[in-house]
Amino acid sequence: MTEKDIIDTILTKHGREGTRLLQILREVQEALGWLSPPAITAIARGIGWPRAKVEATAAFYSFFHLRPRGKYCLLWSDNIIDRMQGSRELMHRLCEKLWLEPGRLSEDGLVFVHTTSDIGMGDQGPALLINYRVATAMTPERVDAMAELIRAQTPLAEWPAEWFAVADNVRKAGPLLSSFTPGSALRAALARGAEAQLAEIGASRLRGRGGAGFPTQRKWQACREAPLKEGQTRIVICNADEGEPGTFKDRLLLTRYADLVFEGMTIAAYVLGARKGFLYLRGEYRYLLEALDAKLDERRRAGLLGHAILGVADFDFDIEIHLGAGAYVCGEESALIESLEGKPGRPRVRPPFPVTHGYLEQPTIVNNVETFACVTRIAEHGAEWFARLGTPQSTGTKLFSVSGDVVRPGIYEYPFGTTVAEVLEAAGVAQCVQGVQVSGASGTTLTGDELSRRLCFEDVPTAGALMVFDCRRDMFEAARNFAHFFAHESCGFCTPCRVGTQVVARLMDKLAAGHGSQYDIQELSKLSRLMKNASHCGLGQTACNPIVDTLAKFRPAYERRLMTLDFVPAFDLDAELSQARQMTRRDDEAAHLFTAQG
Amino acid sequence: MNAPAKLRIATASLAGCFGCHMSFLDIDERLLELIDLVEFDRTPLTDIKTCHPCDLGLIEGGVCNAENVHVLRTFRQNCKTLVAIGACAVNGGLPAQRNHLDLRDILETIYETEGGLARGTHIPNDPELPLPLNRVHPIHEIVKVDYFLPGCPPSADAIWKFLTDLIAGRTPTLGHGLLRYD
């Protein structure tokens, strides 16, 4: 087949729908290696969009390449946890073996090595994406073997399968992670009726598991009451864009408990009268796609999806899987919806909220993977059972993704209200705990003295990530890693976040290089306030949380880097005269500048 | 009661075009009001060459050479409050456009290539001349800066509002219409 035929086949498969642009771009790239200008042109013609609009979408997402990326594209997960596991050293080892620099395509166009934001393998790093397939538990030996395979141009299919194994690492299971008979919860919901099922969710006091903790029943109620225009339906979206560094619980749910998730979505559809559902799966979890599609087919065959579900006339609902393409901001629900519509993932101006104007202007709910799993359990066991678990304002159990300096990293299910210390004790801490980053880069930093804090909305709210740092670690480096993460992931829509995240990252680098002064620390605090108050969405508003927390709780980690009382430039001023000195061959006193003030 | 002591102000133009100083003069008759409140130290208006201890230093222009660095440092050491005035001081502005080019290429093209200058011209290397920096920097990358007054140039009204706020002891705020970047 020619390139044109390949693109045409993909376009036809997706009905030449612009809303499916991300899927079209990904499939074209998987087939052709990269998105060449003629490919973009062909896609634009195919879906009837202006070329610039297609290119804008392609350029927005990290996983789409408008330039060749070689036969092998290796992206090392760059969260602080991966770094603590030695990812940087391994990446440089690989580059040395292959004679290349990170971030530059090799001269022969064969291989590209770089970093990417956390890929959700914190419990089994160092991990990387090899042509967008997850590989875990890297070691120097594996890296050496990998360099050989690349040099010999061995096809990926012939690489050792164990490199691509993803362990579940369930360390403690509870009522959520227990056996389940597909259809049983849906039958219970149908027996109750839509209104009673919604009331049941209200009575369970279920709150969203994505971190914000919005009451699920209120969201669903608003969507259910939103008027429909001619030809519209309500939409159920499952947010599986698990991009928060240190979080990997949805990975487990989608690997082992997909029925719980899909059934929760179907119950939502029944309650709302929705006919269409999407699972927005982060691009990093591409390796789950085939199994999830097979699971959907299985459920269709069992009468749990499709027309007249479980024989109920007029109960039609189906689910499509959309893959993201490496954009953290798409975890924000309105950015996610933009992405589902084939556009760059920029958060919308709200109101109107998605519950009234969501996917293609239709009333839409977006819930976390774990929330849907909880919905299924509530339908199955009832609200009273669920509300007995956890605390008054945070009912049920919660999945915690534990990584970092613990003996047993992985998934732990505990009722809400469990203390950090309890979870850490189960996970096993060999050294003393210096800090715990709760709920990812945008979350809360706790010190070793705060381990009696409780994980629930009444105390420390969380989407479930616990990154543990023992006494050997440098909390400043953790905050600096997060600063660079946000600088990379800012969508660029609003100035406070676009510029602010960059300035913060540079200031942290300046401090790291030993050029910082108290003035720079003050500037960090000022920027934190500005970004919190002026940013358009949660990304910019929370980007400085780790800075604010570590400045308050780990200030010496900053102060020990201060080499001077006076403000000094971030760069070597004398070196700034080097080119003029070279060209004029001068070396007199006036041809030098000294950094220390006279 | 004695009249309050006058505020001492110094100003300088580094890698700028003096446009911000011209805009400052555009406060027109308000200069007479100002002169009752302040006295000028080093500034192009007084032709005093060195900066002495001052309350307020106003810097126009970015930092393009070694002399700019020395002047800026002297201002920082002497002024309680230092203000970046105008696009070049705040962001590097027009002179920073050369940052996209390598300084060596610029010098070579201008002084050593046949064409523009008189035959036999070479890159000047007189120790009297300050050496240019590899890149032009906004002033806050060299010293701590207390306030920023953007604009190319900031309007006379903006400068007036800014100065009167500072002199009166208020944190300067530029409302709508005065805060602009062009």
Side-chain angles (χ1 to χ4, degrees), chain A residues 83-379:
Chain A
R83 287 194 185 192
M84 281 154 49
Q85 292 161 339
S87 63
R88 286 254 143 179
E89 291 75 9
L90 291 178
M91 179 177 80
H92 288 297
R93 186 185 182 106
L94 180 64
C95 285
E96 259 172 49
K97 297 258 167 201
L98 295 168
W99 291 86
L100 45 84
E101 267 175 67
R104 284 182 72 167
L105 185 63
S106 65
E107 294 289 330
D108 55 1
L110 179 68
V111 53
F112 177 87
V113 178
H114 204 22
T115 55
T116 185
S117 298
D118 189 13
I119 65 171
M121 301 290 150
D123 54 338
Q124 45 200 305
L128 76 164
L129 295 171
I130 305 173
N131 290 356
Y132 296 104
R133 246 178 98 187
V134 169
T136 59
M138 282 296 133
T139 60
E141 294 72 36
R142 283 186 174 189
V143 163
D144 294 351
M146 191 185 296
E148 290 302 318
L149 290 170
I150 292 169
R151 266 200 235 128
Q153 303 204 25
T154 311
L156 219 54
E158 293 166 29
W159 288 27
E162 66 268 24
W163 294 1
F164 301 99
V166 177
D168 290 339
N169 289 335
V170 179
R171 308 293 185 180
K172 186 180 181 301
L176 191 64
L177 302 181
S178 58
S179 62
F180 175 65
T181 312
S184 57
L186 187 55
R187 283 192 180 89
L190 292 178
R192 261 184 212 113
E195 214 144 313
Q197 179 57 44
L198 183 59
E200 198 72 10
I201 288 168
S204 75
R205 301 197 301 280
L206 173 65
R207 296 171 70 162
R209 264 38 180 173
F214 192 82
T216 305
Q217 184 261 351
R218 259 173 63 197
K219 188 185 280 185
W220 289 18
Q221 183 86 42
C223 180
R224 194 166 190 257
E225 287 166 2
L228 289 180
K229 291 201 193 94
E230 182 72 29
Q232 285 191 333
T233 177
R234 296 192 172 83
I235 307 286
V236 174
I237 296 174
C238 175
N239 182 349
D241 191 47
E242 184 172 49
E244 192 65 53
T247 315
F248 42 82
K249 60 173 181 78
D250 295 344
R251 183 194 79 205
L252 172 79
L253 285 172
L254 295 169
T255 309
R256 296 285 166 237
Y257 299 89
D259 269 313
L260 279 183
V261 181
F262 290 142
E263 190 136 335
M265 292 175 71
T266 315
I267 293 167
Y270 172 64
V271 169
L272 302 174
R275 291 173 181 268
K276 194 157 183 53
F278 293 99
L279 178 83
Y280 188 92
L281 183 66
R282 71 185 304 220
E284 288 82 347
Y285 293 167
R286 162 74 183 79
Y287 73 99
L288 292 173
L289 179 63
E290 282 78 15
L292 287 169
D293 268 330
K295 177 62 75 182
L296 287 176
D297 268 341
E298 203 180 291
R299 291 182 67 84
R300 283 181 199 114
R301 281 196 304 273
L304 299 171
L305 276 180
H307 289 295
I309 292 172
L310 288 177
V312 177
D314 216 33
F315 181 15
D316 299 343
F317 177 67
D318 212 328
I319 298 171
E320 256 180 54
I321 300 173
H322 267 233
L323 266 169
Y328 166 75
V329 71
C330 288
E332 196 278 343
E333 61 176 4
S334 65
L336 186 153
I337 291 170
E338 288 283 296
S339 182
L340 272 180
E341 294 180 359
K343 296 185 268 184
R346 293 204 188 92
R348 291 177 177 172
V349 175
R350 302 182 302 173
F353 291 92
V355 285
T356 57
H357 296 74
Y359 177 72
L360 300 177
E361 298 282 292
Q362 302 170 99
T364 301
I365 57 150
V366 184
N367 280 116
N368 183 263
V369 173
E370 193 181 345
T371 312
F372 283 119
C374 290
V375 164
T376 303
R377 292 302 189 194
I378 292 166

Side-chain angles (χ1 to χ4, degrees), chain A residues 506 510 517 519-520 522-523 526 567-573 575-586 588-598, chain B residues 65-66 69-70 73 76-77 101-105 107-108 112 123-137 139-146:
Chain A
R506 276 189 222 167
K510 183 180 179 183
S517 64
Y519 296 116
D520 298 292
Q522 282 167 22
E523 191 64 22
K526 259 167 66 182
F567 180 94
V568 292
F571 47 88
D572 178 357
L573 254 178
E576 280 288 282
L577 291 176
S578 59
Q579 294 178 5
R581 271 199 301 269
Q582 181 194 333
M583 298 308 279
T584 57
R585 304 208 178 95
R586 275 175 56 186
D588 54 283
E589 203 187 332
H592 287 277
L593 279 169
F594 299 98
T595 295
Q597 293 221 16
Chain B
N65 63 28
V69 174
H70 295 308
R73 282 177 163 175
R76 181 67 275 183
Q77 282 158 4
L101 305 169
D102 188 283
L103 176 65
R104 288 165 294 199
D105 292 343
L107 291 172
E108 203 156 70
E112 304 288 345
I123 297 171
N125 61 356
D126 191 321
E128 289 277 300
L129 295 173
L131 290 183
L133 300 169
N134 295 357
R135 290 164 301 164
V136 178
H137 294 272
I139 68 170
H140 71 265
E141 290 185 3
I142 313 287
V143 298
K144 165 82 175 108
V145 174
D146 302 302

Side-chain angles (χ1 to χ4, degrees), chain A residues 40-54:
Chain A
I40 295 283
T41 306
I43 294 169
R45 287 215 185 105
I47 61 174
W49 279 18
R51 193 182 182 286
K53 203 173 154 189
V54 173

Side-chain angles (χ1 to χ4, degrees), chain B residues 72-153:
Chain B
L72 183 58
R73 282 177 163 175
T74 311
F75 264 69
R76 181 67 275 183
Q77 282 158 4
N78 283 290
C79 301
K80 290 178 195 160
T81 302
L82 193 66
V83 184
I85 290 203
C88 302
V90 173
N91 286 319
L94 209 58
Q97 299 250 337
R98 80 156 157 93
N99 290 357
H100 301 289
L101 305 169
D102 188 283
L103 176 65
R104 288 165 294 199
D105 292 343
I106 298 174
L107 291 172
E108 203 156 70
T109 307
I110 292 169
Y111 291 104
E112 304 288 345
T113 314
E114 290 286 316
L117 299 174
R119 198 170 283 271
T121 304
H122 292 293
I123 297 171
N125 61 356
D126 191 321
E128 289 277 300
L129 295 173
L131 290 183
L133 300 169
N134 295 357
R135 290 164 301 164
V136 178
H137 294 272
I139 68 170
H140 71 265
E141 290 185 3
I142 313 287
V143 298
K144 165 82 175 108
V145 174
D146 302 302
Y147 297 99
F148 297 86
L149 179 51
C152 188

Side-chain angles (χ1 to χ4, degrees), chain B residues 1-178:
Chain B
M1 243 177 83
N2 296 330
K6 284 186 172 183
L7 234 55
R8 208 168 165 79
I9 298 185
T11 77
S13 177
L14 306 177
C17 69
F18 274 94
C20 297
H21 275 82
M22 298 309 290
S23 192
F24 179 29
L25 291 181
D26 272 346
I27 64 174
D28 296 334
E29 75 282 1
R30 287 172 288 188
L31 267 172
L32 300 174
E33 209 175 311
L34 183 67
I35 210 68
D36 286 336
L37 302 169
V38 306
E39 58 189 355
F40 285 102
D41 189 77
R42 172 189 164 144
T43 126
L45 313 177
T46 57
D47 212 22
I48 298 172
K49 303 294 189 201
T50 52
C51 178
H52 305 92
C54 285
D55 297 293
L56 183 58
L58 309 177
I59 301 285
E60 167 190 346
V63 181
C64 78
N65 63 28
E67 193 217 2
N68 291 161
V69 174
H70 295 308
V71 172
L72 183 58
R73 282 177 163 175
T74 311
F75 264 69
R76 181 67 275 183
Q77 282 158 4
N78 283 290
C79 301
K80 290 178 195 160
T81 302
L82 193 66
V83 184
I85 290 203
C88 302
V90 173
N91 286 319
L94 209 58
Q97 299 250 337
R98 80 156 157 93
N99 290 357
H100 301 289
L101 305 169
D102 188 283
L103 176 65
R104 288 165 294 199
D105 292 343
I106 298 174
L107 291 172
E108 203 156 70
T109 307
I110 292 169
Y111 291 104
E112 304 288 345
T113 314
E114 290 286 316
L117 299 174
R119 198 170 283 271
T121 304
H122 292 293
I123 297 171
N125 61 356
D126 191 321
E128 289 277 300
L129 295 173
L131 290 183
L133 300 169
N134 295 357
R135 290 164 301 164
V136 178
H137 294 272
I139 68 170
H140 71 265
E141 290 185 3
I142 313 287
V143 298
K144 165 82 175 108
V145 174
D146 302 302
Y147 297 99
F148 297 86
L149 179 51
C152 188
S155 67
D157 286 343
I159 294 173
W160 177 251
K161 171 75 163 65
F162 190 87
L163 285 178
T164 46
D165 274 353
L166 263 184
I167 291 165
R170 294 186 294 264
T171 303
T173 48
L174 297 177
H176 183 69
L178 292 180

